[in-house]
Amino acid sequence: MERRLFDTTYYVGACDRTKILFENLFPVPKGMRYNSYIIKDEKTALLDTADEAVSEEFLENVKDTLKERSLDYLVVHHAEPDHSALVMRVLEIYPSAKLVTGVQALKYLNQFTGCDLSARTQTVKDGDVLNLGKRSLTFISAPMVHWPEVMVSYDKETKTLFSADAFGSFGCCEGSLFISNLNHTEEWESEARRYYSNIVGRFGVNVSALLKKAEKLEIDNILPLHGLVFDRDCNFAINKYLKWSSYEAETDDVLIVYGSMYQNTKKAVEILSCNLFEKGKNSKIIDVSYTDFSYIISDIFKYKNIVFACPTYYGGIFPRMEQLLNLVKKTCVKDRKIYLLENGTWAPTAAKNMIDLLSDLKADICENKITIKSACDSETISQLKSLAEVISDC
Ligand code: FEO
């Protein structure tokens, strides 16, 4: 299908609506969209390919869009297979097409394909320009957003940033791809935050560096490799990325993540949540045993105040909570206020172990932990009231 976005820019990507886990890790209840674009100027350029799962639809879109024209350039901004799986197919179908990519991306493509693509490649680096006629692409290196070889490109004629994984989100979308037509900023925000925090959240410094370079550009359109296309509200997306990459929380509300074996720890967090509400603080409670970590990580990027509550297990942390905290540590999230609540019948040690595990995190961990001995008693109830006061006074 031919799908013109604006000017001489066309959409040739496709959705995988059967996908359950993106990267075999992250649930995608609304599937996954792999974006790819064609610019039809004096020269034609295909910007990235797509995932193997959508190969037939993608190749048909390319054919329908190019029509009688041949393909001059295949630009690869990012060598990860969800965007590069079809590079060989494209090069076979369009034998005169030149591959345009960075040196490092070429190395990765050679590794993935088992072929040496050097002879067909024009390598580019930061600042290089690919002229297409009226339009041109200026390459900007964006290492670790999300892999080391990543480049984005900017077309000054249409003020468009081809942003690779940056500004992408989970999920397919129906009908229009444009954020302006769908008024989907809210939907974009929650799935884009989950995508960002889990996939590039660890690389905040690198994302900030890219945003710094982008500051100098006039941007009217952002075309990412996943999700919606920004034809307006680019500043909304950029401001969100500025926040996320600096690990700045978006709300002073409280996130309560708990694990509970016999509902006694759960009872404690319910009491805490009520106390917080009475103090004018909203809270969100998540059961760590029944929630995919990607949603919790996303909320950890959003919330300033976080309570972790769980039982002691084998003299340490309730396993599911321990797995989560190991992941939290890897995101390098910082500037959070963390409060701990532990449960233990004979030797409660979960809180101490949680403090040790999170010690590398640049976070403010409240030393006044609450210890429940098996079930809440009057003393615990009073401590929960005090904790709500401490949190709400912060
Ligand atoms: Fe969408 Fe890093 O690949």
Side-chain angles (χ1 to χ4, degrees):
M1 176 170 75
E2 183 192 77
R3 201 169 183 183
R4 193 174 82 87
L5 293 179
F6 54 81
D7 198 80
T8 48
T9 311
Y10 295 79
Y11 185 82
V12 290
C15 263
D16 182 356
R17 294 186 188 276
T18 62
K19 193 92 179 159
I20 294 169
L21 292 177
F22 178 64
E23 294 187 352
N24 276 340
L25 279 173
F26 308 109
V28 280
K30 292 186 174 174
M32 196 66 194
R33 184 175 278 281
Y34 304 97
N35 294 341
S36 171
Y37 309 94
I38 281 182
I39 297 174
K40 285 209 286 186
D41 203 334
E42 286 167 29
K43 297 281 187 187
T44 58
L46 169 60
L47 311 187
D48 299 288
T49 69
D51 192 82
E52 185 67 48
V54 294
S55 60
E56 292 317 309
E57 193 178 333
F58 164 79
L59 291 168
E60 200 178 291
N61 289 343
V62 172
K63 189 172 157 220
D64 292 349
T65 304
L66 286 173
K67 295 197 169 70
E68 74 290 348
R69 296 193 61 180
S70 64
L71 182 67
D72 296 304
Y73 299 113
L74 166 57
V75 176
V76 171
H77 290 99
H78 181 16
E80 193 167 9
D82 56 333
H83 310 294
S84 72
L86 306 171
V87 162
M88 291 304 285
R89 297 276 298 274
V90 169
L91 293 177
E92 277 159 25
I93 297 168
Y94 302 98
S96 58
K98 196 98 185 152
L99 179 63
V100 178
T101 196
V103 172
Q104 217 164 356
L106 174 62
K107 183 179 159 204
Y108 299 164
L109 290 173
N110 287 345
Q111 287 173 193
F112 275 115
T113 61
C115 299
D116 184 356
L117 298 171
S118 315
R120 285 194 65 177
T121 304
Q122 175 180 332
T123 55
V124 285
K125 58 181 185 319
D126 191 67
D128 283 355
V129 178
L130 179 69
N131 281 311
L132 302 173
K134 191 168 76 122
R135 302 181 55 184
S136 61
L137 295 172
T138 302
F139 292 95
I140 302 163
S141 66
M144 301 319 293
V145 188
H146 140 233
W147 277 16
E149 86 296 357
V150 171
M151 284 203 282
V152 301
S153 64
Y154 178 69
D155 166 36
K156 66 174 184 305
E157 179 68 24
T158 58
K159 298 177 181 151
T160 300
L161 181 69
F162 294 96
S163 63
D165 273 340
F167 305 105
S169 62
F170 292 128
C172 297
C173 44
E174 293 77 36
S176 176
L177 291 164
F178 290 124
I179 202 145
S180 61
N181 287 344
L182 301 175
N183 199 19
H184 266 358
T185 44
E186 248 173 57
E187 193 179 316
W188 175 85
E189 186 180 339
S190 86
E191 281 300 72
R193 184 191 297 104
R194 187 164 71 93
Y195 175 89
Y196 175 89
S197 55
N198 285 279
I199 290 179
V200 278
R202 179 179 171 80
F203 309 119
V205 172
N206 306 81
V207 176
S208 296
L210 172 62
L211 294 172
K212 193 105 195 121
K213 292 180 187 178
E215 237 175 40
K216 299 174 195 132
L217 308 173
E218 225 180 307
I219 299 173
D220 285 349
N221 307 289
I222 299 175
L223 272 56
L225 287 176
H226 298 288
L228 291 165
V229 164
F230 281 83
D231 56 332
R232 73 157 200 221
D233 296 329
C234 292
N235 281 338
F236 170 81
I238 290 168
N239 287 334
K240 282 289 167 191
Y241 260 57
L242 282 167
K243 233 176 223 291
W244 297 339
S245 61
S246 64
Y247 303 100
E248 191 186 330
E250 294 165 83
T251 172
D252 284 338
D253 289 348
V254 186
L255 177 69
I256 303 173
V257 185
Y258 78 95
S260 190
M261 293 163 74
Y262 299 106
Q263 305 309 305
N264 291 304
T265 311
K266 175 188 179 283
K267 199 184 232 176
V269 301
E270 298 283 7
I271 293 168
L272 177 62
S273 174
C274 290
N275 291 341
L276 285 165
F277 184 73
E278 279 167 17
K279 289 279 162 197
K281 273 271 189 219
N282 289 320
S283 57
K284 175 175 179 177
I285 300 178
I286 297 181
D287 186 329
V288 74
S289 299
Y290 296 98
T291 311
D292 184 82
F293 288 159
S294 67
Y295 292 92
I296 308 178
I297 295 291
S298 182
D299 276 334
I300 284 171
F301 270 66
K302 183 176 177 182
Y303 284 79
K304 177 80 180 173
N305 296 295
I306 304 164
V307 178
F308 293 116
C310 73
T312 302
Y313 199 95
Y314 283 151
I317 307 166
F318 184 62
R320 181 88 181 153
M321 180 66 83
E322 187 171 13
Q323 288 165 12
L324 172 72
L325 297 185
N326 272 310
L327 209 52
V328 171
K329 211 164 100 166
K330 287 196 167 69
T331 67
C332 302
V333 70
K334 59 183 182 183
D335 299 331
R336 295 296 183 273
K337 288 187 182 296
I338 294 176
Y339 306 89
L340 301 172
L341 198 153
E342 67 182 354
N343 197 340
T345 298
W346 63 94
T349 55
K352 186 198 170 302
N353 281 282
M354 286 195 275
I355 291 171
D356 291 348
L357 204 157
L358 295 175
S359 61
D360 293 343
L361 222 55
K362 288 181 187 149
D364 179 5
I365 303 177
C366 180
E367 300 219 329
N368 292 335
K369 62 181 170 61
I370 292 183
T371 300
I372 306 163
K373 286 287 192 72
S374 307
C376 289
D377 57 11
S378 57
E379 196 189 330
T380 324
I381 287 169
S382 147
Q383 285 177 336
L384 288 166
K385 204 166 186 169
S386 304
L387 179 60
E389 277 165 19
V390 168
I391 297 174
S392 55
D393 287 346
C394 278

